Amino acid sequence: MTAQPKPPSSFLNVRFLGFAAALALIMTFRCGASDFVHPGILVDRQSIIDTQTLLKRNDPVRTQAVEVMKKSSLARLTYKSQPHAQVLCGPYSQPDIGCSDEVRDAQAAYTHALLGAYLNDSRHFMVAAEIMDSWSETLTGRHLGTNRSLQASWAAELWTRSAEILRYTSRVWPEDRAKLFGEWLLDQYLGDIDAMPECVNGNWYASGIEARMNIGVYTNRRDIYNSAVMDWKSQFPAYVYMKSDGAKPKPQPNCNKPSPSDWFNQKQMASGLAQETCRDLPHTAFGLAAFINAAETNRIQGGTLYLDYADRLQQAMEFQTSMALAPTPPKWLCSGQLKGSLAGTLEIGYAQLHGRMKRPMTNTGKWLSLNRPSRGQLHFIWETATHGMEITDAADTSPP
């Protein structure tokens, strides 16, 4: 079931205002008494201004990445959404009744929100608003099917980023629409995300955590946000192994399955190995991207997930990229076979661990230099455009 999108009731063009002045004005009226930083989901005000500055200077990393974004079909000013009254998703989105449409439209809204902010172009903001309003007016039957929790998480991870940028960096979205969108997220997404089954692969939990954290920030619900942070702290150590954990990985909370079967029959452990590495690298990327994105939002909000779990995150990124760079994986790992690619993520983690924290990330740096600019998929896209930095430690060394 589809419906044509309806445009917001009024638009105000911000191209005639200086970005910083316009943003300060918007923040004054829209932040209210919230103790959250706004915009504060994955990107904040300073990062948007920094990207604008880099684009004006023709920074090669950001400029190329934004040019790729601009050429995407998601970035077309003629983009039309395909909202559904109900979304039904089975395993691997089979059946697919609204699943692909929902994620693609959420990606498009995020793409237009970023371009509106980076290019100071209200036309992109208006497209984002049209997409988001069309879905919030149409989807009333929530998510169904065995993949409903994961589907709701993927979409909510994206919707919240778009809404946060649009609400706090533009003047094209009336505040009543912005508030209604938050109520819609609570009504149509939070319950489905909270219905996450026990003992599923870790990328499910990671996306659910990021989605809940983002919803908490956007709706100014500290209880939702804090609960997601606590779950991040319990789930991430169960997703990435460290030698200090002992002979076996930490068990997933509330899951009594033996660890080896959860790790796709990988018996020999190594620091940085992820629960889904031996499943395939794309699913590992799904999980790591969501955990990293949530940690980035937590950093913006003054949290310490990065600081408290830096060693484990560094090992995870360096291990996965060292294996991705190797001509062939060692025989002890995944029976000597690694499937797929990590492409599309790790930029945000690299910007934090190497850029801000100055940790050596040689394998990650080298791998990123070979996989730029990133486009991504599902819930993680355009990471080079939002967080890409100069690679400074990608020495041409053989992976371990």
Side-chain angles (χ1 to χ4, degrees):
M1 181 180 295
T2 61
Q4 291 300 313
K6 297 180 181 180
S9 57
S10 65
F11 298 116
L12 295 174
N13 195 322
V14 299
R15 283 182 291 178
F16 300 106
L17 293 173
F19 181 82
L23 188 52
L25 177 65
I26 294 163
M27 292 289 291
T28 298
F29 287 102
R30 292 195 168 186
C31 278
S34 168
D35 61 345
F36 285 106
V37 174
H38 294 296
I41 297 176
L42 203 59
V43 298
D44 60 6
R45 172 169 50 173
Q46 188 58 53
S47 73
I48 291 172
I49 294 173
D50 288 346
T51 299
Q52 288 186 321
T53 301
L54 289 171
L55 293 176
K56 290 177 181 178
R57 295 175 180 173
N58 292 316
D59 173 77
V61 175
R62 296 295 181 94
T63 299
Q64 183 187 18
V66 171
E67 286 301 313
V68 170
M69 190 195 313
K70 288 164 60 177
K71 294 176 182 177
S72 166
S73 61
L74 298 173
R76 292 173 182 166
L77 292 172
T78 56
Y79 187 94
K80 298 298 181 183
S81 60
Q82 297 293 323
H84 292 247
Q86 190 173 72
V87 175
L88 171 60
C89 304
Y92 296 94
S93 295
Q94 296 297 325
D96 181 347
I97 301 177
C99 315
S100 297
D101 289 338
E102 182 182 34
V103 171
R104 183 173 56 251
D105 286 352
Q107 288 178 328
Y110 180 48
T111 301
H112 282 283
L114 286 173
L115 287 174
Y118 291 160
L119 306 179
N120 198 19
D121 189 339
S122 63
R123 296 175 302 169
H124 287 290
F125 283 137
M126 289 192 291
V127 176
E130 289 169 0
I131 295 169
M132 293 158 64
D133 285 342
S134 72
W135 272 91
S136 63
E137 292 169 0
T138 304
L139 179 63
T140 57
R142 294 178 50 168
H143 301 81
L144 302 176
T146 56
N147 270 32
R148 68 170 179 144
S149 295
L150 183 59
Q151 173 71 24
S153 298
W154 285 344
E157 288 169 276
L158 293 158
W159 288 133
T160 46
R161 295 174 208 161
S162 314
E164 189 81 355
I165 295 170
L166 190 63
R167 187 179 191 180
Y168 294 106
T169 69
S170 84
R171 301 184 70 188
V172 307
W173 208 24
E175 182 62 11
D176 61 339
R177 295 288 186 96
K179 289 181 178 179
L180 284 173
F181 195 82
E183 294 171 5
W184 176 72
L185 290 170
L186 293 171
D187 182 58
Q188 294 295 311
Y189 288 85
L190 187 60
D192 294 335
I193 297 166
D194 284 341
M196 187 80 64
E198 293 182 355
C199 298
V200 292
N201 284 304
N203 79 85
W204 284 52
Y205 293 120
S207 279
I209 288 167
E210 188 198 351
R212 288 163 47 221
M213 187 181 293
N214 293 0
I215 289 173
V217 172
Y218 184 73
T219 61
N220 293 312
R221 286 281 300 273
R222 178 61 65 175
D223 57 327
I224 297 172
Y225 174 84
N226 286 345
S227 174
V229 172
M230 292 302 295
D231 286 345
W232 194 105
K233 292 179 179 180
S234 65
Q235 290 290 345
F236 183 61
Y239 192 68
V240 173
Y241 173 81
M242 291 285 281
K243 186 177 181 180
S244 57
D245 297 337
K248 295 182 179 180
K250 291 180 179 293
Q252 287 181 333
N254 303 316
C255 180
N256 296 318
K257 289 183 179 179
S259 293
S261 64
D262 289 349
W263 290 60
F264 296 88
N265 298 312
Q266 176 64 24
K267 302 298 192 297
Q268 183 175 338
M269 296 291 115
S271 290
L273 182 72
Q275 181 253 323
E276 294 182 276
T277 300
C278 290
R279 181 186 188 183
D280 57 50
L281 292 180
H283 282 92
T284 304
F286 295 168
L288 290 178
F291 278 121
I292 292 170
N293 290 350
E296 180 72 0
T297 294
N298 176 259
R299 179 193 67 81
I300 293 171
Q301 299 301 332
T304 61
L305 291 179
Y306 273 142
L307 296 174
D308 297 342
Y309 295 86
D311 289 344
R312 194 176 296 265
L313 182 56
Q314 180 181 16
Q315 291 289 337
M317 294 173 60
E318 284 291 277
F319 180 83
Q320 313 305 320
T321 53
S322 72
M323 295 301 135
L325 288 167
T328 57
K331 291 184 179 181
W332 63 265
L333 178 66
C334 312
S335 300
Q337 294 184 345
L338 279 178
K339 302 175 184 177
S341 169
L342 296 163
T345 189
L346 303 187
E347 291 275 16
I348 298 172
Y350 184 81
Q352 168 64 24
L353 294 174
H354 183 65
R356 299 188 191 101
M357 300 177 74
K358 309 305 179 185
R359 286 176 169 249
M361 300 287 289
T362 304
N363 294 321
T364 306
K366 182 176 181 180
W367 183 86
L368 284 173
S369 70
L370 299 173
N371 288 276
R372 280 181 165 176
S374 66
R375 186 210 180 280
Q377 57 183 311
L378 296 173
H379 60 288
F380 57 95
I381 58 173
W382 312 130
E383 289 189 9
T384 310
T386 59
H387 290 78
M389 57 172 286
E390 181 184 1
I391 304 295
T392 59
D393 65 343
D396 188 16
T397 58
S398 299

